[in-house]
Amino acid sequence: MILERKFYMRDTLISAKELLGKTLVHETSEGTTKGIIVETEAYLGKKDRAAHAYKGNTERTRVLFSSKGCSYVYLIYGIYCCFNISSGPADNPECILIRALEPVYGIEIMDKRRGGKGNIYNLCSGPGKLSEAMGITRDEYGIDLTCRESGFYVEDTGIKVDKIKETTRIGVDYAGEDAALLYRFYIEGNKFISRK
DNA sequence: CAGGCGATGTCCT
DNA sequence: GGACATCGCCTGC
C-alpha cells in the first residue's frame, strides 16, 4: 500500500525514521526499479542552518513551501542529483533526504544506468548513486509521491525494522551548531548504507 | 586502503 | 564569485 500524504505531514523526524524499511518505486520507459529505504536524513527548514529552505523560498526550494509528499530533486556539484521528499506540518518547509536504498527489483536496469559494474552494493549506497540507479533527475522535481498514477511512489510492504541508528548528517559542516544534530537515520547492520 | 582532489553547473550573495 | 546534503579516480603508504 502506498504511503498517503498524512504520513509525511507529521513531525519530519518521525517520518524520516518511519521511512526506513519502506520501498521506493519508480516506473519508467526503461522499466520499473524498486529499493528499500535504509538511510535517511531530516532537514528542518527554517530552524536548521543545514537546510536549503533555511534561506527562504527560492526557485529551487519552492516545492518545499507548497506541498507535502512530493519529490524535491536538486543538482549537487554540477553532476549528481539528490532526491528528497517534502514533509512536516503545513507551512514548515521541511524534507527528508533519501541517502541509500537496498535494491530489490529491476537490479539489471539499475546496474546498466550505473555503468554495468555488477556490484549490487555500489548501486544505491549514496544520494547521487541512488538517483542515477533509480532514474531520478530534475525532470522528477515536484512529482506527487502519494498516488500510483505518477509511477513514482513509496510503498509499505510490511517490512519490520529492527534497530535504527541515529547520528550526525553527512557533509553539513558549514551549518555551525546544527551540524551536531542527530538527524541521520539508518538501519543498523544493513549492508547497503552510504557509510558508517 | 585511506586521503586528496577534480569534475561541472546552478544557486545565492 | 564562492560554495555546494557527491562520487570515483589517483596517489602514496
Side-chain angles (χ1 to χ4, degrees):
Chain A
M1 130 202 147
I2 293 178
L3 297 186
E4 302 171 351
R5 197 165 324 281
K6 61 185 178 189
F7 176 93
Y8 303 104
M9 294 192 70
R10 300 171 296 160
D11 182 330
T12 290
L13 294 172
I14 305 247
S15 308
K17 283 182 264 195
E18 291 195 8
L19 273 176
L20 297 173
K22 304 297 189 289
T23 301
L24 178 67
V25 181
H26 194 203
E27 303 166 1
T28 72
S29 56
E30 297 174 290
T32 298
T33 47
K34 303 185 185 186
I36 301 165
I37 298 169
V38 299
E39 179 179 344
T40 62
E41 282 179 3
Y43 285 87
L44 299 195
K46 290 178 278 195
K47 56 191 171 192
D48 177 7
R49 282 179 62 188
H52 291 163
Y54 180 80
K55 293 174 179 171
N57 190 345
T58 66
E59 178 66 22
R60 179 172 65 157
T61 59
R62 73 186 149 73
V63 70
L64 302 178
F65 290 81
S66 62
S67 38
K68 305 299 177 184
C70 293
S71 87
Y72 168 49
V73 182
Y74 65 90
L75 189 67
I76 186 75
Y77 295 105
I79 305 176
Y80 302 103
C81 288
C82 289
F83 166 64
N84 305 246
I85 303 176
S86 62
S87 66
D91 298 326
N92 291 57
E94 304 175 348
C95 65
I96 300 158
L97 170 67
I98 309 301
R99 282 196 58 90
L101 304 174
E102 176 172 336
V104 288
Y105 187 87
I107 292 171
E108 298 80 8
I109 299 169
M110 292 189 192
D111 188 52
K112 188 175 163 199
R113 285 174 176 151
R114 290 274 301 139
K117 299 185 195 70
N119 178 2
I120 192 170
Y121 296 105
N122 199 33
L123 295 181
C124 298
S125 54
K129 296 180 190 178
L130 76 88
S131 294
E132 187 169 41
M134 293 290 291
I136 301 169
T137 68
R138 280 173 298 164
D139 288 344
E140 277 69 38
Y141 184 97
I143 291 181
D144 185 352
L145 299 165
T146 64
C147 56
R148 185 176 294 278
E149 294 71 44
S150 63
F152 193 23
Y153 49 90
V154 183
E155 281 181 331
D156 185 352
T157 61
I159 294 172
K160 287 273 190 292
V161 172
D162 191 25
K163 194 166 180 199
I164 296 174
K165 175 76 176 177
E166 307 191 2
T167 182
T168 52
R169 295 172 291 183
I170 306 289
V172 296
D173 294 342
Y174 60 88
E177 294 179 357
D178 292 338
L181 295 168
L182 303 180
Y183 286 178
R184 174 172 175 245
F185 309 102
Y186 63 84
I187 300 176
E188 195 144 284
N190 187 277
K191 295 190 176 69
F192 295 87
I193 60 173
S194 65
R195 54 177 110 170
K196 299 254 159 103

